[in-house]
Amino acid sequence: MSVNTAFRIAVFPGDGIGREVMTPTIEILRLLQQRIGGFELRFQEEQAGAAHYVRTGTALPDEAMARAGQADAILLGAMGMPDIRYPDGREIAPQLDMREQFELFAGVRPVRTQPGAPNPLADPRAQALDFVLIRESTEGLFAGRGHTRYDGPADRPTAAHDTMTMTRKGSERLFEFAFRLAARRRERGHPGEVTCVDKANVIGGFYFFRQVFDEVAARHPGLGAGHMYVDACALNMVRRPWEFDVLVTENMFGDILSDLGAGLMGGMGMAPSADIGERHAVFQPCHGSAPDIVGRGLANPTATFLSAAMMLDWLGDQHGVPDCGRAGLVLDRAVACAYADGSLKPAELGGTAGTAEVTKAVMDAISSGRAEVAA
Ligand code: ATP
């Protein structure tokens, strides 16, 4: 059976600094493809986002969504602008439409600090954090979005009720994903331990969530499994985050804890992410379009580089193409090399390096062979 090694990548640069970080990311991906070989990336640029909405009246054209659905992976910059809204006041966020349309149930938010880069925690063990938070992204408290029920008069309600939904199917696929990720991480020297983060002592839905977690954990006896209440987790993410491996949690808790994770990395420009479903996946930095720094060359592209590395890893794993996975590792290592000696300090982290300097440091690490990973 022949293996597909040519991957179609739908690229959505989007708005604001999304466009500024996407250009160097594509340049780096082309360099990796050329140096490592064994796989090919075919980029197809798509237009969507707030600026596109202003120009055309549509935030995400149907044809672009259809092509994204046919692509092997989707790479996104940032979308939305605080001042540009739909008539009902909602922000323009086509990435949320993609999450729904493609059932991207696993929001993967790695928390990795780069030794050498400025870091908010003083403890030396926090200089090389490496754990992953997985946020359920199709149900939980967000499933009630748009269905708030009010009591009392419409012009001055006396109460508002929202619902949280946990399904067996949604929870099982999430936990299976978490254990598979933990198994892959263990191959790379991590403990292979999944922690379910919930509030099972107070809310029935979380008690159910935890029961399903225990059932799935029993199918993976070779991996560690534990529980933690969300409040304790928030404390421990600051107090001793080096003890975590894989954390898995509900949508809203994950939304909040992943920003705490980005804070541990020093800033939004350092935090990568992936939204992964059964067949589709979107890779994008955690940050937004950052209108306050747009056009000044100050956007930190590190988060987008690391998201692109996650894309290469995912494509290699999905399609059985080790060279593609290796390219992801090389990109990861190139970022680590760029920061290692402490001289590269992005403006966002209190230094002076802008997009061009960070890009050059990462490209040099790839071109010089310093980031090489054995085949
Ligand atoms: P959204 O709601 O669209 O996710 P947000 O309100 O969280 O966006 P961001 O656009 O992520 O806001 O920006 C938050 C702050 O972080 C801003 O001050 C912005 O300049 C800064 N910031 C975000 N991303 C980067 C980056 N890549 N490089 C430098 N600074 C950044």
Side-chain angles (χ1 to χ4, degrees):
M1 198 180 73
S2 74
V3 176
N4 174 29
T5 57
F7 304 120
R8 284 167 302 168
I9 314 296
V11 179
F12 288 85
D15 297 305
I17 64 162
R19 309 194 84 80
E20 298 175 20
V21 293
M22 190 55 79
T23 304
T25 302
I26 301 294
E27 212 181 320
I28 283 180
L29 286 170
R30 288 195 206 281
L31 175 65
L32 286 166
Q33 170 184 308
Q34 183 197 332
R35 273 190 72 92
I36 293 173
F39 68 97
E40 188 192 335
L41 302 174
R42 297 179 184 161
F43 300 103
Q44 156 105 35
E45 184 168 328
E46 302 289 353
Q47 301 306 324
H52 192 71
Y53 177 74
V54 170
R55 273 197 308 275
T56 66
T58 307
L60 176 57
D62 290 343
E63 312 78 61
M65 181 72 120
R67 281 192 295 271
Q70 282 154 11
D72 294 296
I74 301 163
L75 189 58
L76 213 138
M79 290 200 203
M81 282 287 187
D83 301 340
I84 303 175
R85 308 232 170 187
Y86 293 117
D88 66 3
R90 282 177 305 130
E91 277 190 43
I92 314 277
Q95 60 276 33
L96 298 186
D97 299 331
M98 287 189 204
R99 215 179 269 173
E100 259 170 42
Q101 169 88 10
F102 300 136
E103 273 206 63
L104 307 176
F105 62 89
V108 181
R109 310 283 185 263
V111 180
R112 280 172 48 205
T113 44
Q114 302 292 339
N119 178 317
L121 296 186
D123 193 301
R125 288 170 292 185
Q127 305 312 303
L129 292 181
D130 188 345
F131 66 93
V132 183
L133 177 76
I134 304 172
R135 162 191 179 182
E136 203 293 323
S137 302
T138 55
E139 45 187 43
L141 201 51
F142 280 61
R145 206 161 49 104
H147 302 290
T148 308
R149 188 171 56 77
Y150 297 95
D151 290 343
D155 59 345
R156 197 164 180 276
T158 52
H161 308 269
D162 287 300
T163 7
M164 182 176 71
T165 304
M166 312 289 212
T167 67
R168 176 168 291 279
K169 177 178 170 239
S171 304
E172 275 186 359
R173 69 182 177 184
L174 175 77
F175 298 138
E176 285 293 353
F177 182 96
F179 280 99
R180 179 153 193 275
L181 181 69
R184 289 193 73 214
R185 280 173 59 85
R186 197 174 51 177
E187 286 166 15
R188 295 178 186 173
H190 295 281
E193 167 102 30
V194 184
T195 305
C196 176
V197 178
D198 58 44
K199 195 71 184 168
N201 53 336
V202 178
I203 308 283
F206 280 112
Y207 182 70
F208 168 79
F209 190 68
R210 185 182 277 212
Q211 279 181 318
V212 178
F213 174 81
D214 288 344
E215 285 171 28
V216 174
R219 292 180 213 148
H220 300 274
L223 295 164
H227 315 114
M228 196 174 284
Y229 296 131
V230 65
D231 39 347
C233 183
L235 177 69
N236 290 329
M237 275 179 72
V238 175
R239 208 167 53 168
R240 43 188 175 88
W242 44 87
E243 291 183 4
F244 291 131
D245 186 4
V246 175
L247 301 175
V248 61
T249 191
E250 178 269 342
N251 208 339
M252 177 67 100
F253 286 173
D255 186 32
I256 299 165
L257 292 180
S258 58
D259 267 29
L260 175 49
L264 290 175
M265 286 181 265
M268 300 302 284
M270 301 297 285
S273 83
D275 289 324
I276 298 182
E278 305 285 0
R279 211 192 80 64
H280 302 275
V282 174
F283 300 84
Q284 69 174 121
C286 284
H287 61 76
S289 55
D292 54 334
I293 57 165
V294 91
R296 295 167 57 196
L298 293 177
N300 180 0
T302 307
T304 318
F305 297 165
L306 294 173
S307 305
M310 292 171 78
M311 179 183 81
L312 293 170
D313 177 65
W314 182 78
L315 282 169
D317 183 47
Q318 284 280 105
H319 298 271
V321 181
D323 285 333
C324 191
R326 190 157 64 87
L329 280 177
V330 171
L331 179 47
D332 259 348
R333 191 170 288 188
V335 169
C337 288
Y339 284 102
D341 72 4
S343 60
L344 181 67
K345 288 204 174 57
E348 179 196 22
L349 305 186
T352 53
T355 317
E357 287 90 334
V358 178
T359 303
K360 182 173 183 318
V362 174
M363 289 193 89
D364 284 352
I366 297 170
S367 305
S368 66
R370 275 183 295 138
E372 219 52 67
V373 172

